[in-house]
Amino acid sequence: MQRHIRTALFALAALAAWQGASAQHTLGFTVGYGMGNGRFQPQQEMRAIWGLYSGGLSWRYYGKQRFVGGFGIDLEFQQQGFSFATNASQVEEKKDYLYYTRHVNSVVLPIVWQPHFYMLRNHVRIYLEAAATFSYNISSTYENEQARANGSAGWKGDYPFKLARDNRWGWFPSVSLGWNISKENFMKDSDTELKFRVSYGKTGNQEGIGSYAYQALMSGGYNYGNGSGIAVSTFGNRDLTWEKADQFDAGFDITLFKGRVNIMADAYYKKTKDLLYSTPIHSTTGVTSIISNIGSMRNKGVEFTINTHLNLGKVLWSSSFNIARNVNKLTSLLEDDLLSIGANRALKLGRTVGSWYIFRTDGIYQYDGEVPQALYDKGVRAGDVKYWDRNGDGNITDDDRIVTGNPNPKFSGGWNNTFKYKGLELSLFFTYSYGNDVYASWMIHGSKPGYTRSLLKAYADNRWTGPGTSDKYPRAIYSYSGWNGKNSTMYLTDGSFIRLRSVTLGYTFPQRLVSKIHLKGLRVYAQGDNVFLCSRYPGWDPETSVNLDPRFYGEDNDGVPQPRIFKLGVNITF
């Protein structure tokens, strides 16, 4: 049986009031414990609140259910008098522990401090949070008037045991400001609403690494002369530290023509440093990788959304269009400017994370005399793929690979439209992406005969059969060491597309009709998902890649395409 008991005792201290608003101070301390599934879950919280204060003594019991409620009593004091109120609280179980959140609002400046201590199955985590919100109004009248400017600030400290002792503490501040310019006197007669906002925050990441990533670990199961043994399985890295990101955001919202048009625009700049990644190392060391802070990267971009609500006679048209652009760049990388990862990827200074590290094709050899001697001796002949000899040594090796391509689109977004005429409603939702590359690795096996599948039709019909017949498709032969199927720009394709994600046609019967059959509502509809796709991509679907790992992002390795679904339905309200 899992139990969770919490007690709270608030000490109250009054301060002087200012301009008719209360300015008391509240200190609080909460201690809790939980027992369940063989683990001890202590929790501690402290609160300090400046503003209208509330306090009291409460006792709550939480059972084994996933989502339960508690009941308590708060006493609220104000300068004008005394009030009595009850409140309800909720707690939700997440992962291996229970957490409880309480929100305290104030007209002045609430500051909340929350130390947390979690003891889970395989690690201990401690972190400290502080948060404050405030609002400011230039006018002298505070009652019944919305604030013109507002903001919030927060600070968090985290102490995970995944890192070495000297690198555990992480400090993450945040602040945001907003200005409702529509409340200013010079815009009081305008039907335009305009708001500006700006924010800054620092975040930390140490997910994806083991609980003892900074220590060398050993494991069993190794064979020593037919005898069982243990060996080092991972190297430790005591220099491992937090992956930290600083992000700046700025934007505005504007509403025009009495709400018919709403525009939202945002711009952001994010600098991430001390990137955590499993760095490949020589297997002669006994392992193949080590968790490291490999460098830093930069993301910057813009997002734009426009919503419209227009009356076209008897037809009501609602539309929402958005477009976004993000530019990613690696700004520092260990001691070198290039780090090969995976089978055909590399991290390179100044390039997008997830760029390909492949050979560049320069057409097809038309005559044997064009083939360099070093390659001719290895079996390369006329009709085979010509790769760019980057270093000019007359041979093709891994040193001739180039970093190219970008799995991220130049811009992407969606467009949703809804048309209503009396009880009839038509909805169309489009998504699109432009400028991203997709590496069609599935084509490698279908571009040469004698492999695990049939030859692709394009490679069969357009294959090289003699000088001048093709400068793109090689001869149909199982060539030397898979020469014609090397990782190259031959399989780097355009992943741009426009997709009709969904279309719905529905009809809602008039109330005067459905009431005759004793119903409150009746609607029938037909819906299609993934109705059509417009793209030059040669495969089934340019969106088959969902793996965000930079070694695999933007690669189609026979991924399952999205299904096309058609549905008929009815909604009945009794």
Side-chain angles (χ1 to χ4, degrees), residues 235-292:
F235 288 160
N237 183 357
R238 301 193 67 85
D239 294 328
L240 206 62
T241 186
W242 282 89
E243 177 182 296
K244 298 174 286 292
D246 295 274
Q247 181 163 336
F248 300 86
D249 296 87
F252 69 87
D253 299 343
I254 184 171
T255 301
L256 305 171
F257 310 116
K258 297 182 179 180
R260 292 186 180 91
V261 178
N262 176 258
I263 298 174
M264 294 172 287
D266 290 275
Y268 61 88
Y269 180 93
K270 183 177 182 180
K271 180 66 178 293
T272 306
K273 62 181 181 179
D274 297 323
L275 290 165
L276 289 169
Y277 194 75
S278 185
T279 307
I281 59 176
H282 293 291
S283 58
T284 52
T285 61
V287 298
T288 57
S289 63
I290 181 173
I291 294 291
S292 306

Side-chain angles (χ1 to χ4, degrees), residues 57-251:
L57 178 64
S58 63
W59 178 88
R60 298 180 176 91
Y61 168 75
Y62 301 105
K64 193 175 181 180
Q65 294 84 358
R66 175 174 174 79
F67 195 83
V68 297
F71 179 80
I73 297 176
D74 280 359
L75 302 179
E76 183 176 303
F77 299 88
Q78 301 182 24
Q79 185 183 11
Q80 307 300 329
F82 171 85
S83 65
F84 175 86
T86 62
N87 70 79
S89 60
Q90 291 178 327
V91 64
E92 182 179 358
E93 184 177 4
K94 281 193 174 182
K95 296 183 179 178
D96 290 331
Y97 57 87
L98 292 171
Y99 77 95
Y100 169 68
T101 303
R102 180 183 180 187
H103 301 284
V104 183
N105 297 320
S106 173
V107 297
V108 187
L109 180 63
I111 303 175
V112 180
W113 294 81
Q114 290 184 310
H116 300 265
F117 176 80
Y118 298 127
M119 182 179 291
L120 306 181
R121 286 190 179 93
N122 57 355
H123 70 277
V124 177
R125 185 181 183 193
I126 301 172
Y127 68 89
L128 176 69
E129 290 182 297
T133 60
F134 64 89
S135 62
Y136 175 68
N137 197 314
I138 300 175
S139 67
S140 59
T141 303
Y142 285 79
E143 292 79 9
N144 301 322
E145 184 172 351
Q146 185 177 353
R148 300 178 186 176
N150 57 72
S152 64
W155 173 81
K156 178 180 177 180
D158 206 334
Y159 189 79
F161 283 73
K162 294 182 177 183
L163 307 175
R165 184 184 301 274
D166 295 339
N167 298 324
R168 286 175 184 167
W169 271 118
W171 309 102
F172 310 110
S174 63
V175 62
S176 64
L177 298 171
W179 180 26
N180 190 347
I181 194 174
S182 306
K183 299 298 179 180
E184 299 298 337
N185 292 332
F186 59 84
M187 292 193 65
K188 64 180 180 180
D189 296 328
S190 174
D191 59 1
T192 299
E193 293 187 12
L194 179 61
K195 300 177 183 178
F196 291 98
R197 58 184 178 274
V198 63
S199 64
Y200 161 77
K202 179 186 284 289
T203 57
N205 174 46
Q206 35 90 29
E207 300 298 327
I209 63 176
S211 299
Y212 307 99
Y214 71 97
Q215 292 181 329
L217 302 178
M218 302 185 74
S219 59
Y222 290 87
N223 189 330
Y224 288 92
N226 295 323
S228 178
I230 62 175
V232 174
S233 56
T234 59
F235 288 160
N237 183 357
R238 301 193 67 85
D239 294 328
L240 206 62
T241 186
W242 282 89
E243 177 182 296
K244 298 174 286 292
D246 295 274
Q247 181 163 336
F248 300 86
D249 296 87

